[in-house]
Amino acid sequence: MSVDQMLTDAVSLARTVAVEAAGEDAVGAHLRAEVEASGAVAHAFEARQPGYRGWSWVVSLSAVEGDAAPTVNELVLLPGGDAIVAPEWTPYRDRVRPGDLNPGDLLPPEPDDLRLVPAWSAGDVDAESTDTLAARELADGRSWVLSLEGREMAAQRWHEGVRGPDTPLAKQASGSCRTCGFRVGLAGPLADRFGVCANGMANDDGRVIALDHGCGAHSGVKLSRSTAARPLPELYLDTDATDDLVVDPPKPAPEPEEAVVDDSPDVTPAS
């Protein structure tokens, strides 16, 4: 008998190893025996413990010679094709979404974040004023500033977001934020495309808005009809919707009878 055949027939040994590790109730039927290499065979058993549907216990056996006793190499629990497994690992930098930060959380930028550049190499000013810009930024405590790529990424995100020109609110607005008196202008290279809404009654109050955004709270909105109270029509008696009830007049109360007083003397006849 060959070594591989001897190991393939060692189902009882493989089951004993799995039962000792997982328990009698956790090991099910023998599923298959696979020759992994010359002198190495893996036996798979159905995993029956709760929550592991589609998984299997795999016991690897090996032997050097055909007359040598099989040796247990390892015991593992492996998922099958229909097993319930965790999703593939997603790095934290790709897992965090906008709005996920809670008080006390930290989200440092990546070392190779293309959105940031040193303040002295922002690249959007003339060479003569580079030193002045860097000194100003460093004085404000910023050694890193937005790069040109980072600025354009932010502008595109804002313009395509809920405060851009393509939202239902903006499409039905009577005017754009560019001409609204409640818009606060920005300073810097994004000033020609964005501003901040300062209308406390608007949906976007205190948020960055695109200049071609808009809403119904524009400062120039005028109502198309008068808001004065309309005069009420004259009152009238609705006889069609009411029923006339015929009520008999009340009967007069009977007059009280006069009492008769007997004024004759009380005479007792003589016996």
Side-chain angles (χ1 to χ4, degrees):
M1 180 183 298
S2 64
V3 176
D4 294 340
Q5 186 61 46
M6 183 267 294
L7 294 175
T8 302
D9 295 339
V11 178
S12 178
L13 173 61
R15 175 180 291 278
T16 301
V17 174
V19 169
E20 289 179 356
E24 184 71 31
D25 297 336
V27 181
H30 183 260
L31 300 178
R32 63 190 177 276
E34 298 180 356
V35 178
E36 297 178 329
S38 179
V41 175
H43 291 270
F45 299 89
E46 178 188 4
R48 286 186 166 180
Q49 59 265 51
Y52 284 86
R53 184 187 64 189
W55 290 65
S56 59
W57 292 101
V58 179
V59 182
S60 296
L61 304 178
S62 64
V64 178
E65 299 177 355
D67 57 351
T71 301
V72 178
N73 289 341
E74 63 179 354
L75 168 66
V76 292
L77 182 62
L78 297 179
D82 57 346
I84 301 176
V85 296
E88 295 183 2
W89 169 258
T90 302
Y92 284 108
R93 62 182 299 176
D94 301 329
R95 190 181 308 176
V96 179
R97 313 312 303 165
D100 288 348
L101 287 180
N102 295 317
D105 291 346
L106 300 176
L107 183 62
E110 296 293 332
D112 57 347
D113 196 332
L114 57 82
R115 299 172 300 173
L116 297 173
V117 293
W120 52 266
S121 64
D124 60 343
V125 294
D126 298 333
E128 297 179 355
S129 58
T130 301
D131 294 338
T132 303
L133 175 64
R136 186 185 309 116
E137 298 293 346
L138 292 174
D140 292 338
R142 295 200 306 167
S143 57
W144 294 86
V145 296
L146 270 178
S147 63
L148 296 178
E149 293 83 357
R151 182 188 308 152
E152 291 305 316
M153 291 170 60
Q156 181 178 2
R157 185 173 61 252
W158 296 347
H159 196 266
E160 295 177 354
V162 296
R163 298 172 187 90
D166 298 328
T167 61
L169 186 68
K171 290 182 177 180
Q172 299 184 23
S174 57
S176 67
C177 297
R178 185 184 304 274
T179 59
C180 183
F182 293 108
R183 174 179 61 85
V184 177
L186 297 178
L190 295 179
D192 59 339
R193 288 179 283 177
F194 300 96
V196 177
C197 179
N199 188 344
M201 299 303 296
N203 298 359
D204 301 322
D205 177 46
R207 297 177 174 88
V208 175
I209 42 89
L211 296 187
D212 45 3
H213 182 62
C215 70
H218 192 280
S219 61
V221 168
K222 302 295 183 182
L223 296 179
S224 59
R225 57 183 180 180
S226 175
T227 58
R230 296 182 179 181
L232 297 177
E234 297 181 1
L235 298 178
Y236 66 93
L237 179 62
D238 185 4
T239 58
D240 294 335
T242 58
D243 295 332
D244 295 333
L245 300 179
V246 179
V247 181
D248 296 334
K251 296 181 180 181
E255 296 181 359
E257 298 181 357
E258 295 182 358
V260 178
V261 180
D262 186 6
D263 293 337
S264 60
D266 186 9
V267 179
T268 302
S271 55

